[in-house]
Amino acid sequence: MSNALFNLSGKTAIITGCNTGLGQGMALGLAEAGCNIVGVNRRSPAETQQGVEAMGVQFLAIEADLGSTTPIAEIMHKTEQQFGTADILINNAGIIRRADALEFTEQDWDDVLDVNLKSLFFLSQAFARACIHRKGRGKIINIASMLSFQGGIRVPSYTASKSGVLGLTRLMANEWAHLGINVNAIAPGYMATNNTEALRNDPERSTEILKRIPAGQWGSPEDLAGAAVFLASNASNYVHGHTLAVDGGWLAR
Ligand code: NAP
């Protein structure tokens, strides 16, 4: 198989929430494959920018809070101004709130759904419209979760949002595949990032989780790079509506 299948030289990817964690791991992976990166963040992505630029590609930082859909038009506009077009969108930004279902607040419901599902959908819509306008291919990669497949405990809005991400990935693929837009998702298992800090600091939960992972360890941001490059590249041109688990075997148990 030729490496050209995975080559992203001359492409541009918008990645949300790439100042840290899995978004950073995927930004560095795509940059290594030759892709320019538009990083959409609430905070400075200086470390990611440095790593991306060290690979000899460009990084555009856009400051935006995806707790609302307001910044979406500007994200597309600034990307097009700098790079002409965006070829890849990775909807990675996400938050989690933990509380028993009986105590869960409406605020914790709305905050999580707004970032994890609503902004993901409307940014995908804006990206797809731009692809259709320029009659070009597009690759959308949504970040799902084990809780796209399972119920979990103490994270009702997160489970609802990530189950929604799996469903929306299929819906968007069904509507846009024939237009040359691939919509797929990656479902990370238990990865060592800010998102799982509380779990990893809880000795009981942490031991329980680790014992159940066939690979015997938490995943790292670098572990997502290969799946992200695959779904962003020509290697996946006939893959539509799929949610790819990168989970150390968690779902196989
Ligand atoms: P993380 O380190 O907390 O990263 C989340 C990213 O999303 C950060 O860059 C964060 O920015 C950004 N973000 C959150 N709210 C935002 C907002 N309103 N506007 C713009 N950006 C916002 O956690 P992570 O584990 O890398 O999470 C990345 C994605 O993977 C999330 O969708 C998460 O649900 C998913 N995931 C993670 C795991 C895991 O085990 N870690 C498993 C399955 C799925 P700030 O730094 O400013 O907060």
Short mmCIF file of all heavy atoms in Angstrom, two decimals, residues 17-23 41-43 64-67 92-95 115 143-145 158 162 188-191 193-196, ligand 1:
data_model
loop_
_atom_site.label_atom_id
_atom_site.label_comp_id
_atom_site.label_asym_id
_atom_site.label_seq_id
_atom_site.Cartn_x
_atom_site.Cartn_y
_atom_site.Cartn_z
N GLY A 17 -10.75 22.54 19.95
CA GLY A 17 -10.22 22.08 21.25
C GLY A 17 -8.90 21.34 21.12
O GLY A 17 -8.77 20.21 21.59
N CYS A 18 -7.90 22.02 20.51
CA CYS A 18 -6.62 21.31 20.27
C CYS A 18 -5.48 21.92 21.06
O CYS A 18 -4.32 21.68 20.75
CB CYS A 18 -6.31 21.24 18.79
SG CYS A 18 -5.98 22.84 18.06
N ASN A 19 -5.80 22.70 22.10
CA ASN A 19 -4.72 23.26 22.93
C ASN A 19 -4.12 22.20 23.85
O ASN A 19 -3.06 22.38 24.42
CB ASN A 19 -5.23 24.45 23.76
CG ASN A 19 -6.42 24.08 24.61
OD1 ASN A 19 -7.40 23.56 24.11
ND2 ASN A 19 -6.36 24.34 25.90
N THR A 20 -4.83 21.08 24.00
CA THR A 20 -4.42 20.05 24.95
C THR A 20 -5.03 18.71 24.55
O THR A 20 -5.79 18.64 23.58
CB THR A 20 -4.91 20.47 26.38
OG1 THR A 20 -4.50 19.48 27.32
CG2 THR A 20 -6.43 20.57 26.44
N GLY A 21 -4.68 17.65 25.26
CA GLY A 21 -5.39 16.37 25.16
C GLY A 21 -5.46 15.75 23.78
O GLY A 21 -4.52 15.83 22.98
N LEU A 22 -6.60 15.12 23.50
CA LEU A 22 -6.76 14.35 22.26
C LEU A 22 -6.69 15.25 21.03
O LEU A 22 -6.15 14.85 20.00
CB LEU A 22 -8.09 13.58 22.31
CG LEU A 22 -8.28 12.66 23.52
CD1 LEU A 22 -9.59 11.90 23.41
CD2 LEU A 22 -7.11 11.69 23.68
N GLY A 23 -7.24 16.45 21.15
CA GLY A 23 -7.20 17.40 20.01
C GLY A 23 -5.76 17.73 19.65
O GLY A 23 -5.40 17.80 18.46
N ASN A 41 -9.93 27.37 19.68
CA ASN A 41 -9.78 27.16 21.13
C ASN A 41 -10.28 28.35 21.93
O ASN A 41 -10.28 29.47 21.44
CB ASN A 41 -8.29 26.97 21.46
CG ASN A 41 -7.76 25.66 20.90
OD1 ASN A 41 -8.04 24.59 21.42
ND2 ASN A 41 -7.02 25.76 19.80
N ARG A 42 -10.62 28.08 23.20
CA ARG A 42 -10.95 29.17 24.13
C ARG A 42 -9.67 29.79 24.68
O ARG A 42 -9.64 30.93 25.09
CB ARG A 42 -11.71 28.66 25.35
CG ARG A 42 -12.93 27.89 25.09
CD ARG A 42 -13.66 27.65 26.37
NE ARG A 42 -13.16 26.48 27.07
CZ ARG A 42 -13.86 25.83 27.98
NH1 ARG A 42 -15.07 26.27 28.30
NH2 ARG A 42 -13.38 24.78 28.59
N ARG A 43 -8.62 28.93 24.78
CA ARG A 43 -7.37 29.40 25.38
C ARG A 43 -6.24 29.27 24.36
O ARG A 43 -6.40 28.64 23.33
CB ARG A 43 -7.05 28.53 26.62
CG ARG A 43 -8.05 28.71 27.72
CD ARG A 43 -7.66 27.98 28.98
NE ARG A 43 -7.71 26.54 28.85
CZ ARG A 43 -6.74 25.72 29.21
NH1 ARG A 43 -5.61 26.20 29.68
NH2 ARG A 43 -6.87 24.42 29.10
N ALA A 64 -12.30 31.00 20.07
CA ALA A 64 -13.76 30.89 20.02
C ALA A 64 -14.25 30.01 21.16
O ALA A 64 -13.60 29.03 21.51
CB ALA A 64 -14.19 30.28 18.69
N ASP A 65 -15.40 30.39 21.70
CA ASP A 65 -16.06 29.55 22.72
C ASP A 65 -17.21 28.83 22.05
O ASP A 65 -18.19 29.46 21.62
CB ASP A 65 -16.55 30.44 23.87
CG ASP A 65 -17.12 29.60 25.01
OD1 ASP A 65 -17.54 28.44 24.76
OD2 ASP A 65 -17.14 30.09 26.14
N LEU A 66 -17.12 27.52 21.95
CA LEU A 66 -18.14 26.73 21.24
C LEU A 66 -19.32 26.37 22.15
O LEU A 66 -20.12 25.51 21.80
CB LEU A 66 -17.51 25.50 20.61
CG LEU A 66 -16.55 25.85 19.46
CD1 LEU A 66 -15.71 24.66 19.05
CD2 LEU A 66 -17.32 26.40 18.26
N GLY A 67 -19.42 27.06 23.29
CA GLY A 67 -20.61 26.95 24.12
C GLY A 67 -21.80 27.60 23.43
O GLY A 67 -22.95 27.45 23.87
N ASN A 92 -13.74 18.04 17.97
CA ASN A 92 -13.16 17.38 19.14
C ASN A 92 -13.54 18.05 20.46
O ASN A 92 -13.63 17.37 21.49
CB ASN A 92 -11.63 17.37 18.98
CG ASN A 92 -10.93 16.99 20.26
OD1 ASN A 92 -10.90 15.83 20.66
ND2 ASN A 92 -10.39 17.99 20.97
N ALA A 93 -13.79 19.37 20.44
CA ALA A 93 -14.05 20.08 21.71
C ALA A 93 -15.19 19.41 22.45
O ALA A 93 -16.22 19.06 21.86
CB ALA A 93 -14.40 21.54 21.42
N GLY A 94 -14.99 19.20 23.74
CA GLY A 94 -16.05 18.55 24.50
C GLY A 94 -15.83 18.73 25.99
O GLY A 94 -14.70 18.93 26.44
N ILE A 95 -16.92 18.69 26.73
CA ILE A 95 -16.84 18.80 28.19
C ILE A 95 -17.67 17.70 28.83
O ILE A 95 -18.51 17.06 28.17
CB ILE A 95 -17.32 20.18 28.71
CG1 ILE A 95 -18.74 20.50 28.22
CG2 ILE A 95 -16.35 21.27 28.31
CD1 ILE A 95 -19.33 21.75 28.85
N VAL A 115 -21.98 22.32 23.77
CA VAL A 115 -20.64 22.15 23.19
C VAL A 115 -20.55 20.83 22.43
O VAL A 115 -20.10 20.79 21.28
CB VAL A 115 -19.53 22.15 24.28
CG1 VAL A 115 -18.15 21.99 23.65
CG2 VAL A 115 -19.59 23.41 25.11
N ILE A 143 -15.70 13.37 17.42
CA ILE A 143 -15.14 12.59 18.52
C ILE A 143 -16.29 12.10 19.41
O ILE A 143 -16.97 12.90 20.07
CB ILE A 143 -14.07 13.38 19.31
CG1 ILE A 143 -12.94 13.80 18.35
CG2 ILE A 143 -13.52 12.51 20.44
CD1 ILE A 143 -12.29 12.64 17.54
N ALA A 144 -16.48 10.80 19.36
CA ALA A 144 -17.55 10.14 20.13
C ALA A 144 -16.95 9.66 21.45
O ALA A 144 -16.09 10.34 22.03
CB ALA A 144 -18.11 9.00 19.29
N SER A 145 -17.36 8.49 21.94
CA SER A 145 -16.91 8.03 23.25
C SER A 145 -17.37 6.58 23.44
O SER A 145 -18.24 6.09 22.69
CB SER A 145 -17.55 8.91 24.31
OG SER A 145 -17.48 8.33 25.60
N TYR A 158 -23.45 13.90 29.29
CA TYR A 158 -22.34 13.44 28.45
C TYR A 158 -22.77 12.22 27.64
O TYR A 158 -22.54 12.14 26.43
CB TYR A 158 -21.14 13.12 29.35
CG TYR A 158 -19.86 12.83 28.60
CD1 TYR A 158 -19.09 13.87 28.07
CD2 TYR A 158 -19.41 11.52 28.41
CE1 TYR A 158 -17.91 13.61 27.38
CE2 TYR A 158 -18.23 11.25 27.72
CZ TYR A 158 -17.49 12.31 27.21
OH TYR A 158 -16.32 12.05 26.53
N LYS A 162 -22.88 12.08 23.62
CA LYS A 162 -22.01 11.20 22.83
C LYS A 162 -22.83 10.12 22.10
O LYS A 162 -22.43 9.67 21.02
CB LYS A 162 -20.93 10.58 23.72
CG LYS A 162 -19.95 11.62 24.28
CD LYS A 162 -19.18 12.34 23.17
CE LYS A 162 -18.14 13.30 23.72
NZ LYS A 162 -17.34 13.94 22.67
N PRO A 188 -12.89 7.28 21.36
CA PRO A 188 -11.74 6.95 22.21
C PRO A 188 -12.20 6.16 23.43
O PRO A 188 -13.31 6.35 23.92
CB PRO A 188 -11.20 8.32 22.65
CG PRO A 188 -11.92 9.34 21.81
CD PRO A 188 -13.22 8.72 21.41
N GLY A 189 -11.33 5.27 23.89
CA GLY A 189 -11.60 4.58 25.15
C GLY A 189 -11.22 5.49 26.30
O GLY A 189 -11.47 6.69 26.25
N TYR A 190 -10.64 4.92 27.32
CA TYR A 190 -10.25 5.70 28.50
C TYR A 190 -8.84 6.23 28.28
O TYR A 190 -7.87 5.48 28.27
CB TYR A 190 -10.38 4.85 29.76
CG TYR A 190 -11.84 4.68 30.13
CD1 TYR A 190 -12.63 3.72 29.52
CD2 TYR A 190 -12.44 5.54 31.05
CE1 TYR A 190 -13.98 3.60 29.82
CE2 TYR A 190 -13.80 5.42 31.36
CZ TYR A 190 -14.55 4.45 30.74
OH TYR A 190 -15.89 4.34 31.03
N MET A 191 -8.74 7.55 28.06
CA MET A 191 -7.48 8.17 27.68
C MET A 191 -7.03 9.13 28.79
O MET A 191 -7.85 9.81 29.42
CB MET A 191 -7.65 8.98 26.38
CG MET A 191 -8.52 8.34 25.32
SD MET A 191 -7.88 6.82 24.59
CE MET A 191 -6.74 7.44 23.39
N THR A 193 -6.22 12.30 29.89
CA THR A 193 -6.30 13.74 29.56
C THR A 193 -7.02 14.44 30.71
O THR A 193 -7.46 13.79 31.67
CB THR A 193 -7.13 13.99 28.27
OG1 THR A 193 -8.49 13.62 28.57
CG2 THR A 193 -6.63 13.19 27.09
N ASN A 194 -7.21 15.77 30.58
CA ASN A 194 -7.95 16.53 31.61
C ASN A 194 -9.34 15.95 31.84
O ASN A 194 -9.85 15.95 32.95
CB ASN A 194 -8.15 18.00 31.18
CG ASN A 194 -6.82 18.70 30.97
OD1 ASN A 194 -5.82 18.27 31.52
ND2 ASN A 194 -6.83 19.75 30.17
N ASN A 195 -9.96 15.46 30.76
CA ASN A 195 -11.33 14.95 30.79
C ASN A 195 -11.49 13.80 31.80
O ASN A 195 -12.55 13.62 32.39
CB ASN A 195 -11.68 14.48 29.36
CG ASN A 195 -13.01 13.78 29.23
OD1 ASN A 195 -13.19 12.68 29.72
ND2 ASN A 195 -13.96 14.44 28.59
N THR A 196 -10.44 13.02 32.00
CA THR A 196 -10.53 11.84 32.87
C THR A 196 -9.72 12.00 34.15
O THR A 196 -9.49 11.03 34.87
CB THR A 196 -10.02 10.58 32.13
OG1 THR A 196 -8.73 10.88 31.57
CG2 THR A 196 -10.95 10.16 31.01
P1 NAP B 1 -9.63 17.83 27.42
O1 NAP B 1 -8.15 17.71 27.61
O2 NAP B 1 -10.48 18.39 28.48
O3 NAP B 1 -9.88 18.60 26.05
C1 NAP B 1 -11.14 19.11 25.67
C2 NAP B 1 -10.90 20.23 24.68
O4 NAP B 1 -12.15 20.83 24.36
C3 NAP B 1 -10.03 21.33 25.28
O5 NAP B 1 -9.23 21.88 24.28
C4 NAP B 1 -11.08 22.31 25.73
O6 NAP B 1 -10.61 23.63 25.88
C5 NAP B 1 -12.05 22.23 24.57
N1 NAP B 1 -13.32 22.86 24.91
C6 NAP B 1 -14.15 22.54 25.92
N2 NAP B 1 -15.18 23.40 25.95
C7 NAP B 1 -15.00 24.27 24.93
C8 NAP B 1 -15.71 25.40 24.45
N3 NAP B 1 -16.83 25.83 25.03
N4 NAP B 1 -15.22 26.07 23.36
C9 NAP B 1 -14.07 25.68 22.77
N5 NAP B 1 -13.34 24.62 23.20
C10 NAP B 1 -13.80 23.94 24.27
O7 NAP B 1 -10.22 16.39 27.15
P2 NAP B 1 -9.96 15.33 25.99
O8 NAP B 1 -10.03 14.03 26.64
O9 NAP B 1 -8.78 15.68 25.16
O10 NAP B 1 -11.30 15.52 25.16
C11 NAP B 1 -11.35 15.69 23.77
C12 NAP B 1 -12.60 15.03 23.23
O11 NAP B 1 -12.49 13.63 23.43
C13 NAP B 1 -13.88 15.45 23.95
O12 NAP B 1 -14.93 15.55 23.02
C14 NAP B 1 -14.12 14.30 24.90
O13 NAP B 1 -15.45 14.17 25.25
C15 NAP B 1 -13.64 13.14 24.05
N6 NAP B 1 -13.32 11.90 24.77
C16 NAP B 1 -12.34 11.84 25.69
C17 NAP B 1 -12.07 10.64 26.32
C18 NAP B 1 -11.00 10.46 27.34
O14 NAP B 1 -10.89 9.37 27.93
N7 NAP B 1 -10.17 11.44 27.61
C19 NAP B 1 -12.80 9.50 26.00
C20 NAP B 1 -13.81 9.62 25.03
C21 NAP B 1 -14.05 10.81 24.43
P3 NAP B 1 -10.10 24.15 27.34
O15 NAP B 1 -8.72 23.62 27.50
O16 NAP B 1 -10.18 25.64 27.20
O17 NAP B 1 -11.05 23.61 28.36
#
